[in-house]
Amino acid sequence: MPRDAQPGHVAAWRAILTVHAELTERIDRALVEGGAIPLHWYDALLPLYEATGHRLRLGELARAALLSRSGLSRLVDRLEEADMLAREACGEDARGSYAVLTRAGQAAVRKAWRIYGREIQRLFGQHVSKREAAAMTTVLRRIQEANGRGK
Amino acid sequence: MPRDAQPGHVAAWRAILTVHAELTERIDRALVEGGAIPLHWYDALLPLYEATGHRLRLGELARAALLSRSGLSRLVDRLEEADMLAREACGEDARGSYAVLTRAGQAAVRKAWRIYGREIQRLFGQHVSKREAAAMTTVLRRIQEANGRGK
DNA sequence: GAAGATTGAGTACTCAATCTTG
DNA sequence: CAAGATTGAGTACTCAATCTTC
């Protein structure tokens, strides 16, 4: 967006882009430097961690991790290779598979979260009051809901 | 970040991630469907558009577009191929080059911005009051400045 | 030797096509 | 033939190595 002729919401969107890019990069760096899994892996493993049984259909996981089915398929290859998760046949529907977190995968998520949480506090939370955080969440959730799924 | 035990700033960060991912994808789709350049190209061409003389050193452009030098080098190959910009030798320093927007490149930025601006309004601005946008910008700029460049 | 830019090798994604099962 | 998952081909990035000029 051009710098001139900016209604307020354009400046806000621009600020979101900048903060997202900067913090995301720093968090990923902190994870790697701290000997944890990369942010990318964390994004895929967290939905599993939060799922009941630490288990999700591959399609669901793809959706949760914002990846295409094919992209997820290859990522799961690498995560399985690294012993973060295992594929498991799906009883009810022989077409499908589950991804299930291993013990090592669960530990990796917890370790990553310790670093991630610390960094969010340091880079973001530290500079934002409770009130401001709540207000921002409200607005963003409203946007989320207005745009969720449909057109 | 786990869904439980969330201080307010974690929820806010999570909301930023979600909104960023969703809107970014929709905007890119709108650009392509509208026959404009992809978001990716826009991100690289806009800094040029805003630069005096529509001209920037490749290194500067890399920084502005949040790309590595090598990544930018290849992107510039494609943009040059598509007649969006041209490389130009740098008089003062024969090591360096400039990237300069072509006429077509300038037009492409303007066309993309028409769509982009409309989509920001539709997906984001429409759901946010002026006050809220201003408040959000203030907070995010504060974070930006606290984390800009240094540690 | 350091800095600007490019090239080589490797990684990670996409869409379209395919295979398998419902 | 529709849906879940994978595979093939193509694209776009990264870091490390290289080339050129300061």
Side-chain angles (χ1 to χ4, degrees):
Chain A
M1 45 314 267
R3 228 184 281 285
D4 51 342
Q6 285 197 8
H9 69 267
V10 175
W13 174 243
R14 196 159 176 154
I16 287 178
L17 291 180
T18 308
V19 167
H20 176 270
E22 180 75 22
L23 265 55
T24 266
E25 194 218 307
R26 282 178 187 246
I27 289 167
D28 187 44
R29 191 184 308 278
L31 286 173
V32 173
E33 284 174 1
I37 55 178
L39 185 50
H40 212 172
W41 283 21
Y42 183 76
D43 289 337
L45 295 181
L46 183 65
L48 281 179
Y49 191 84
E50 291 183 335
T52 68
H54 298 320
R55 161 189 322 261
L56 239 30
R57 293 289 296 261
L58 294 188
E60 294 180 277
L61 184 52
R63 203 170 42 74
L66 304 171
L67 284 176
S68 66
R69 275 183 137 81
S70 60
L72 182 87
S73 193
R74 296 179 220 269
L75 177 55
V76 166
D77 288 345
R78 295 188 294 271
L79 291 170
E80 197 167 23
E81 175 85 31
D83 189 37
M84 295 287 109
L85 56 75
R87 277 182 176 89
E88 212 170 86
C90 178
E92 318 85 66
D93 184 345
R95 290 174 301 181
S97 301
Y98 284 108
V100 190
L101 266 189
T102 58
R103 285 273 174 189
Q106 295 169 41
V109 169
R110 283 189 292 263
K111 174 169 186 176
W113 169 247
R114 282 195 294 275
I115 298 176
Y116 195 157
R118 167 167 54 74
E119 292 299 303
I120 298 178
Q121 167 57 26
R122 196 170 68 80
L123 299 170
F124 185 97
Q126 178 190 0
H127 309 290
V128 181
S129 75
K130 265 189 158 71
R131 261 189 86 75
E132 289 169 331
M136 188 140 80
T137 304
T138 300
V139 173
L140 292 171
R141 289 250 172 89
R142 194 189 309 145
I143 293 168
Q144 242 175 83
E145 259 140 60
N147 296 307
R149 300 305 108 209
K151 215 354 205 350
Chain B
M1 41 318 259
R3 229 184 283 283
D4 52 343
Q6 286 196 7
H9 70 268
V10 175
W13 174 243
R14 195 158 176 154
I16 287 178
L17 292 180
T18 308
V19 167
H20 175 271
E22 182 74 22
L23 267 55
T24 265
E25 194 218 309
R26 283 179 184 244
I27 290 167
D28 188 43
R29 190 182 310 276
L31 288 173
V32 173
E33 285 174 1
I37 55 178
L39 185 51
H40 213 170
W41 283 20
Y42 183 75
D43 289 338
L45 294 182
L46 183 65
L48 280 180
Y49 191 84
E50 291 183 336
T52 69
H54 298 321
R55 161 190 321 264
L56 239 30
R57 292 288 298 260
L58 294 187
E60 294 180 278
L61 183 53
R63 204 169 42 75
L66 303 171
L67 285 177
S68 67
R69 276 184 136 82
S70 59
L72 181 87
S73 193
R74 294 179 219 269
L75 177 56
V76 166
D77 288 346
R78 296 188 295 271
L79 291 170
E80 198 167 21
E81 175 86 29
D83 188 37
M84 295 287 110
L85 57 74
R87 279 183 175 88
E88 213 171 84
C90 178
E92 320 85 66
D93 184 345
R95 288 173 303 181
S97 301
Y98 283 107
V100 190
L101 266 190
T102 60
R103 285 272 174 190
Q106 295 169 40
V109 169
R110 283 189 291 262
K111 173 169 186 175
W113 169 245
R114 282 193 295 273
I115 297 175
Y116 195 158
R118 166 167 57 73
E119 291 299 304
I120 298 178
Q121 167 56 26
R122 196 171 69 81
L123 300 170
F124 186 97
Q126 180 190 1
H127 309 292
V128 182
S129 75
K130 265 190 159 69
R131 259 190 87 73
E132 289 169 331
M136 189 140 79
T137 304
T138 300
V139 174
L140 291 171
R141 291 250 172 88
R142 194 189 308 144
I143 293 167
Q144 243 177 80
E145 258 141 59
N147 296 308
R149 302 302 110 209
K151 234 275 161 98

